[in-house]
Amino acid sequence: MDREMIVDAVSKRFEDGTTALDGVSLEFARGEFAAIVGPSGCGKTTLLRILAGLEEPTSGHVELAAGGGRRDHMAMVFQEQSIYPWMRVRENVAVGLHGLGLALAAARAKVEEQLDLVGLRAFAGAFPHQLSGGMKQRVSIARAFASERRVLLMDEPFAALDEQTKIGLHGELLRIWEHTRKTVVFITHGIEESVVLADRVYVMTGRPGRIHARVDVPFSRPRDVVALRGDPEFGRLVVHVWGLLREGMAA
Amino acid sequence: MSQAWAVHVRRARHLRGLERALRLASPIVLLLLWEWAVRAHVLDARFFPAPSSVAGAAVALAKSGELWNDLRVTLVRLFLGFLTGAIPGVALGLAMGLSRWVRAVTSPLIAALYPIPKIAVLPLIILIFGLGDSSKIVIVAIGVFFIMAINTSAGVLQIERIYLDVAKAYGIRGLAFVHRVLLPGALPSLLTGAKVSLGIALILVVAAEFLAAKDGLGYLIWNGWQTLQVEQMYVGLVIVAVLGYVVTIGLEEAERTTLPWLNR
């Protein structure tokens, strides 16, 4: 498989002396859906921000097969409310198109297409304060997919949502992803979530964050995010990841 | 349940109507009391002319065209002074909000200069800019400048970090960053600054017209006092009050209709 991105011995020390990441090395294949799970405060958000080019590592580096700057290839979906409250839904999605140099008509078509994919066409003219939490995250996802960037970085995008909305969005995310097969790095502390979504799950240790283990998820695509939960193999994997996580915290 | 709700809605509507009626009634009742007090010689008509005679003076001034001329002149000075102060004020405020270096250089200067009563520098301004319109425009601009700079910088600083991260992540830079992220993000604070500074601007323009003008509402008031035409003075005061009211209400209305996302 083609390589998309190599993370080579990335460490991050903050000014106050705490070490968030200690020698993290990872390899992402093109079109792979990777999840990173770890205890809270293990530096996984810091890792994602480094991948996104929002922060620089203290040592080590991130290498992209496509070359060029990280920020040109990464589309980020943030954990908290990150769509602009002063823009309508359609303008928020269009933020993802910034710098693509599309003509107005093409940009409009692209936005409509993304809104259709996340089922928000009827809300194109709405402001974020008129939307539910789940809808806001769908706008954020549409913005990221609209950007046509190669790698999608997702930082616990569903953490603030209730269980039903979350499972609904898992299905939607996978459905949209099947269309594009972008490379995805998905950060979460939800073990089930990581197994439902990802091809590969990386387990991190507590602070300072290191990669403790890698688990391959064998389920075929496309996946049914509800039926999958009834699969005995699913339960076995969840328990396995749990065990690794506990080991990592003790380490 | 639905009946209780209907009763509740009816009562709420009734209370709102009452509130609106009180709002309208209170100034009218005050005016009526005033009129009565003057006619009953409780108030001295030389200092407190009855509302009816103030209205009479207003009509006379309006007919002669003097009132409209003074109003127009003051409004032009107010408007030009506001723009002259607000544009560089907002620009400096944005720079201060974005860069700690700009902040480090300018904030002590602003802290020292801002509290100086602007009227106290009017003699200097007149020396430099003369007795014409430009000295009034400059004094208004100075007052507006500081308030807009301070409010804009505070507005930028309170924009949530995540919104700046999104701009960075999606490559929104330069002018697009200013008008799509910075300005709208700082807008609530900016609008507060505009409201406050328009009030201050009105005070400054009237005060400057007291001291150095041959027209304008401030001149109307001052001239009324000097020639002992007390009614004329009151006409000027009432117009200034109405102006302040209209500007505030107008800005709030504009805010409501053009920026619906502000009323979350």
Side-chain angles (χ1 to χ4, degrees):
Chain A
M1 251 211 259
D2 287 343
R3 257 199 320 238
E4 180 81 78
M5 174 166 61
I6 297 174
V7 178
D8 183 21
V10 161
S11 295
K12 178 76 180 179
R13 240 177 313 282
F14 288 113
E15 281 173 21
D16 63 4
T18 56
T19 305
L21 295 171
D22 185 18
V24 170
S25 293
L26 293 165
E27 228 183 279
F28 299 102
R30 177 166 309 155
E32 131 178 279
F33 199 128
I36 300 176
V37 295
S40 351
C42 74
K44 47 193 194 299
T45 292
T46 305
L47 176 62
L48 208 66
R49 288 179 62 87
I50 289 173
L51 296 185
L54 293 172
E55 275 177 46
E56 290 304 317
T58 314
S59 64
H61 63 280
V62 179
E63 211 175 288
L64 288 158
R70 276 171 284 156
R71 269 190 236 149
D72 303 329
H73 299 296
M74 309 287 181
M76 181 100 164
V77 178
F78 295 85
Q79 177 178 359
E80 64 264 57
Q81 207 304 81
S82 73
I83 57 176
Y84 292 119
W86 50 83
M87 293 183 188
R88 291 172 194 280
V89 164
R90 91 165 61 79
E91 291 155 348
N92 264 301
V93 174
V95 164
L97 304 175
H98 195 84
L100 286 183
L102 292 182
L104 196 63
R108 214 172 267 162
K110 184 94 193 155
V111 168
E112 296 278 308
E113 181 196 328
Q114 294 304 323
L115 285 175
D116 272 343
L117 275 175
V118 296
L120 282 180
R121 175 171 261 210
F123 293 89
F127 282 98
H129 72 271
Q130 297 166 307
L131 307 180
S132 68
M135 289 158 98
K136 285 180 198 166
Q137 275 317 53
R138 279 194 262 165
V139 175
S140 184
I141 290 167
R143 175 173 72 187
F145 274 101
S147 73
E148 291 186 354
R149 295 175 184 209
R150 305 165 58 93
V151 183
L152 191 61
L153 304 174
M154 307 186 87
D155 182 14
E156 302 193 36
F158 308 136
L161 305 177
D162 61 85
E163 200 61 21
Q164 286 174 34
T165 311
K166 193 185 288 190
I167 292 173
L169 281 176
H170 287 157
E172 282 193 43
L173 173 62
L174 287 184
R175 183 173 51 77
I176 302 166
W177 177 72
E178 296 284 351
H179 279 276
T180 59
R181 288 289 182 140
K182 282 179 198 293
T183 307
V184 179
V185 181
F186 190 103
I187 298 273
T188 178
H189 55 244
I191 296 164
E192 291 196 12
E193 182 171 71
S194 70
V195 174
V196 165
L197 297 173
D199 300 313
R200 232 165 301 289
V201 176
Y202 294 95
V203 179
M204 285 182 78
T205 63
R207 184 167 283 232
R210 297 190 190 90
I211 300 297
H212 175 65
R214 176 188 135 164
V215 179
D216 291 326
V217 181
F219 304 121
S220 62
R221 309 252 182 207
R223 293 179 184 172
D224 180 330
V225 297
V226 178
L228 196 64
R229 285 163 204 265
D231 191 321
E233 177 68 6
F234 174 80
R236 202 192 59 75
L237 269 173
V238 168
V239 173
H240 178 53
V241 174
W242 240 120
L244 290 169
L245 197 59
R246 215 157 28 185
E247 248 174 60
M249 277 193 268
Chain B
M1 174 65 193
S2 71
Q3 202 178 351
W5 177 247
V7 169
H8 172 78
V9 166
R10 224 171 12 245
R11 190 174 299 151
R13 214 171 274 160
H14 177 73
L15 284 176
R16 247 199 318 272
L18 190 66
E19 188 191 335
R20 204 169 299 151
L22 279 176
R23 259 175 219 275
L24 279 176
S26 74
I28 293 173
V29 168
L30 183 73
L31 284 176
L32 287 175
L33 267 177
W34 182 355
E35 183 81 33
W36 168 81
V38 176
R39 294 196 179 190
H41 299 289
V42 177
L43 280 176
D44 188 336
R46 284 173 305 171
F47 305 132
F48 305 103
S52 58
S53 47
V54 173
V59 170
L61 282 167
K63 271 187 183 154
S64 74
E66 200 178 327
L67 185 61
W68 304 123
N69 186 51
D70 286 332
L71 182 61
R72 184 179 51 78
V73 164
T74 297
L75 280 177
V76 167
R77 287 169 182 159
L78 191 71
F79 183 69
L80 291 179
F82 181 80
L83 284 187
T84 314
I87 292 168
V90 169
L92 178 66
L94 288 178
M96 284 172 70
L98 280 180
S99 153
R100 56 211 272 210
W101 306 111
V102 175
R103 235 173 10 253
V105 172
T106 54
S107 56
L109 297 177
I110 286 185
L113 295 176
Y114 172 58
I116 297 177
K118 307 303 170 285
I119 284 301
V121 290
L122 188 60
L124 184 66
I125 300 293
I126 291 173
L127 266 179
I128 300 172
F129 293 95
L131 284 164
D133 280 342
S134 47
S135 57
K136 280 77 172 174
I137 291 170
V138 168
I139 199 82
V140 168
I142 292 173
V144 171
F145 172 79
F146 285 106
I147 297 170
M148 291 312 285
I150 292 167
N151 272 281
T152 307
S153 128
V156 170
L157 286 172
Q158 79 194 12
I159 297 177
E160 287 175 51
R161 255 207 75 89
I162 181 90
Y163 296 140
L164 306 181
D165 279 345
V166 169
K168 203 169 160 190
Y170 287 103
I172 303 178
R173 283 179 288 263
L175 271 183
F177 178 62
V178 171
H179 93 259
R180 295 182 66 187
V181 180
L182 274 191
L183 281 177
L187 202 57
S189 175
L190 234 144
L191 282 173
T192 307
K195 262 181 272 181
V196 174
S197 61
L198 269 169
I200 301 276
L202 198 56
I203 293 172
L204 284 173
V205 77
V206 169
E209 285 168 352
F210 271 21
L211 298 174
K214 288 277 160 277
D215 48 13
L217 293 173
Y219 172 78
L220 185 78
I221 297 168
W222 189 250
N223 183 252
W225 152 243
Q226 287 202 313
T227 56
L228 286 179
Q229 292 171 275
V230 181
E231 286 89 354
Q232 180 185 322
M233 192 176 87
Y234 274 90
V235 171
L237 290 176
V238 169
I239 303 272
V240 170
V242 169
L243 219 53
Y245 178 80
V246 167
V247 163
T248 308
I249 295 295
L251 265 179
E252 273 166 13
E253 202 50 45
E255 192 179 309
R256 235 196 311 278
T257 52
T258 60
L259 308 165
W261 54 272
L262 267 185
N263 308 296
R264 272 167 287 181

